[in-house]
Amino acid sequence: MKYTSTRGRIRSLTFKDAVMMGLADDGGLLLPESIPALTQGEIGALEKLAYPELAFQLISKFVGDIPSADLKDLIDRSYASFTHPDITPVVHHDGVHILELFHGPTLAFKDVALQFLGNLFEYLLKERGEKMNILGATSGDTGSAAIYGVRGKENINIFILHPHQKVSPIQELQMTTVTDPNVFNLAIRGTFDDGQRIVKEIFGDLAFKSKYSLGAVNSINWARVLAQVVYYFYAWGRVRKETDCQQVCFSVPTGNFGDIFAGFIAKKMGLPIRRLILATNENNILTRFVTRGDYSIGSVVHTFSPSMDIQLASNFERYLYYLYDCQSGQVRDAMTQLSDTGRLSFSEVERAKVANDFVAISVDGEQTLSTIRDFHARTGYVLDPHTAVGVKAARELTDGDVPVVCLATAHPAKFGDAVKQAIGTGPDMPASLAGIESREKRCEIIDADTATIKSYLASHSR
Ligand SMILES: *Cc1c(COP(=O)(O)O)cnc(C)c1O
């Protein structure tokens, strides 16, 4: 499989080079030159596979330059860290199928991709005799999932900036209790936006970036999208076994368009997905895009589902590439227009194409809490606030003619305050969090200043 950029200005790459490049050198995002189409027979044959084997079958179609035995080993090790035997089990409550994506080490769906990416980086760095210093800023979930993805790995150090005392106590502990010598938690005296700005400035210093082999783990890496395609197939197989359905809908709570874009790829591969339900919180740029063809940047609002408090969806450019029939010139024009004017608009024809793949709705804080409350009252099952956004969207936008799978993106214990507000008691703590407060911690409190962070990196990098 060869890879190309949405902006069309790089030479084609192998899978391994695409993973190492991350963001394309022309500023675009990397995509496979073609999406493998599966027949219904081939899809049916995948239905019975256990998760790691399914992952191997699907991921193999996009790789081509890693020996099968090595790829299989990478995948098996990535999912051995999950605590549920099904990896991503599907449960059925009150008319919806819930795809539980939170059985990885940090209790959110990002583990599905970052456990794999961490192993992949280690493998590729070893093969190339290279090293990498991963740098990222987090408002919570991504940081801990990235840290768990690379803790203890050879040839990799990771530096994660989080705003000091401005992430939830659980999220902070999930990061700072990882004491492996290759993990550096930096609590900056500032906000998440300061962290993002500092990281952007450091990556913008190309000489520094290359001198210290800086790498990123944000959702622009194709390997992350690829790993997420797998669970759409997995859920489809499980729901089909239960209901004998032909088609399903998926409801996906989203902010960065990463998770739902993986569903779009699964649909393009031939998985019988009737529609993808795109569910946003009050940060509704993606909903406005689907319902009105209006993609215009607003300002970020803080909500009960903080991992979706995003305005600019970094994976959206990948979708634009397909919406524009793979015309990279049109993508380049659109991205220029977006940075000049802060908005994009779409023709009737384009909007009809969007409507064929997606329906969308925005769910506010009140509705999020009442969905957690009602669902718990009817079923005893506790939804996290992100998952609740998707469940509410599924309730509003489906009429029961095809089964609907709601992606459960986090364990409710990660967002205990919102859950408590909704149902009066906090959620049960999973075993991995037991005693986390009393574990040894490692974290450096540091000024939110680019030069200070750079000198820290210079003295602690590989
Ligand atoms: C990151 C995250 C999301 C949003 O993911 P996208 O890739 O933007 O779709 C949703 N829920 C949780 C819990 C997350 O951590």
Side-chain angles (χ1 to χ4, degrees):
M1 181 62 80
K2 285 287 177 6
Y3 284 79
T4 183
S5 163
T6 49
R7 302 199 190 171
R9 295 207 158 142
I10 61 162
R11 282 199 305 186
S12 73
L13 301 169
T14 65
F15 173 78
K16 291 198 288 200
D17 289 336
V19 171
M20 294 308 279
M21 189 176 279
L23 185 71
D25 284 347
D26 63 1
L29 299 181
L30 296 168
L31 280 170
E33 284 185 349
S34 64
I35 301 289
L38 307 188
T39 64
Q40 286 314 300
E42 287 169 320
I43 292 171
L46 298 173
E47 201 181 303
K48 293 161 201 74
L49 301 179
Y51 193 97
E53 180 60 25
L54 175 67
F56 173 68
Q57 295 290 335
L58 290 171
I59 291 173
S60 292
K61 295 183 192 304
F62 291 88
V63 177
D65 56 347
I66 297 178
S68 291
D70 292 359
L71 184 62
K72 181 133 193 22
D73 175 61
L74 286 172
I75 291 170
D76 287 349
R77 284 194 285 120
S78 301
Y79 298 110
S81 61
F82 281 59
T83 54
H84 195 286
D86 293 346
I87 314 298
T88 63
V90 181
V91 298
H92 190 177
H93 288 290
D94 200 26
V96 295
H97 300 268
I98 297 176
L99 171 59
E100 294 185 343
L101 300 172
F102 52 72
H103 294 282
T106 72
L107 309 172
F109 86 96
K110 291 182 174 73
D111 289 326
V112 176
L114 285 166
Q115 287 290 303
F116 176 59
L117 187 63
N119 284 317
L120 198 54
F121 274 153
E122 183 182 49
Y123 175 87
L124 297 178
L125 291 170
K126 190 166 184 190
E127 188 177 78
R128 293 169 182 216
E130 292 172 7
K131 59 195 170 63
M132 183 188 271
N133 292 291
I134 292 172
L135 172 65
T138 188
S139 57
D141 284 350
T142 309
S144 59
I147 287 169
Y148 273 82
V150 302
R151 67 183 297 184
K153 298 263 182 280
E154 281 175 46
N155 304 323
I156 306 178
N157 278 358
I158 183 165
F159 301 83
I160 294 292
L161 277 52
H162 73 263
H164 184 46
Q165 292 176 340
K166 293 195 184 78
V167 300
S168 82
I170 293 268
Q171 287 178 325
E172 182 180 317
L173 286 164
Q174 281 184 313
M175 294 189 279
T176 57
T177 56
V178 180
T179 56
D180 300 68
N182 71 329
V183 174
F184 298 88
N185 278 295
L186 301 176
I188 57 167
R189 295 185 186 93
T191 62
F192 169 58
D193 290 338
D194 292 327
Q196 269 197 316
R197 173 182 50 77
I198 292 167
V199 167
K200 221 170 154 184
E201 281 172 11
I202 296 178
F203 275 104
D205 180 345
L206 296 180
F208 188 88
K209 180 182 172 204
S210 119
K211 179 167 181 196
Y212 294 103
S213 311
L214 294 188
V217 282
N218 46 19
S219 63
I220 47 121
N221 198 301
W222 167 254
R224 282 186 66 176
V225 175
L226 178 56
Q228 293 174 196
V229 171
V230 176
Y231 51 69
Y232 286 89
F233 280 81
Y234 186 79
W236 180 82
R238 294 305 170 277
V239 171
R240 195 175 139 67
K241 214 185 261 171
E242 196 178 321
T243 64
D244 205 28
C245 61
Q246 292 309 315
Q247 286 195 313
V248 296
C249 284
F250 283 93
S251 183
V252 189
T254 193
N256 241 328
F257 207 76
D259 206 359
I260 198 162
F261 181 73
F264 173 75
I265 297 289
K267 190 169 189 280
K268 271 185 102 61
M269 290 173 77
L271 191 68
I273 298 176
R274 164 89 52 96
R275 281 216 172 65
L276 292 158
I277 300 168
L278 184 154
T280 57
N281 60 26
E282 288 94 329
N283 297 288
N284 64 356
I285 179 170
L286 291 167
T287 298
R288 284 186 279 112
F289 161 67
V290 173
T291 57
R292 306 208 295 266
D294 163 28
Y295 190 83
S296 56
I297 301 163
S299 47
V300 176
V301 190
H302 294 283
T303 72
F304 290 121
S305 41
S307 298
M308 310 197 299
D309 292 348
I310 290 162
Q311 282 292 331
L312 259 190
S314 53
N315 269 289
F316 187 66
E317 183 172 341
R318 287 195 162 107
Y319 179 68
L320 280 183
Y321 179 78
Y322 293 112
L323 185 61
Y324 295 148
D325 294 321
C326 308
Q327 300 296 315
S328 49
Q330 242 180 303
V331 177
R332 288 198 300 272
D333 291 347
M335 296 320 286
T336 306
Q337 193 192 334
L338 184 63
S339 71
D340 290 351
T341 67
R343 68 180 307 150
L344 292 175
S345 50
F346 296 88
S347 69
E348 280 303 317
V349 175
E350 288 159 351
R351 288 175 59 185
K353 277 172 79 174
V354 174
N356 194 39
D357 292 319
F358 300 101
V359 287
I361 195 167
S362 151
V363 173
D364 68 22
E366 193 60 45
Q367 293 170 314
T368 303
L369 295 188
S370 67
T371 302
I372 297 174
R373 190 178 310 122
D374 294 348
F375 205 84
H376 179 253
R378 294 164 74 111
T379 66
Y381 187 91
V382 182
L383 301 168
D384 104 282
H386 304 79
T387 309
V389 167
V391 168
K392 174 67 177 170
R395 294 261 194 255
E396 294 295 318
L397 297 178
T398 52
D399 47 18
D401 58 339
V402 298
V404 55
V405 180
C406 295
L407 272 57
T409 52
H411 190 289
K414 279 196 99 159
F415 300 95
D417 287 349
V419 170
K420 190 160 186 199
Q421 213 171 313
I423 63 173
T425 50
D428 291 341
M429 282 290 150
S432 64
L433 294 181
I436 192 168
E437 308 83 10
S438 50
R439 279 179 222 160
E440 189 192 341
K441 299 177 192 61
R442 207 156 70 89
C443 180
E444 190 90 26
I445 301 165
I446 193 166
D447 282 344
D449 170 65
T450 304
T452 310
I453 307 279
K454 269 179 156 172
S455 71
Y456 188 91
L457 281 170
S459 55
H460 294 84
S461 55
R462 292 245 170 191

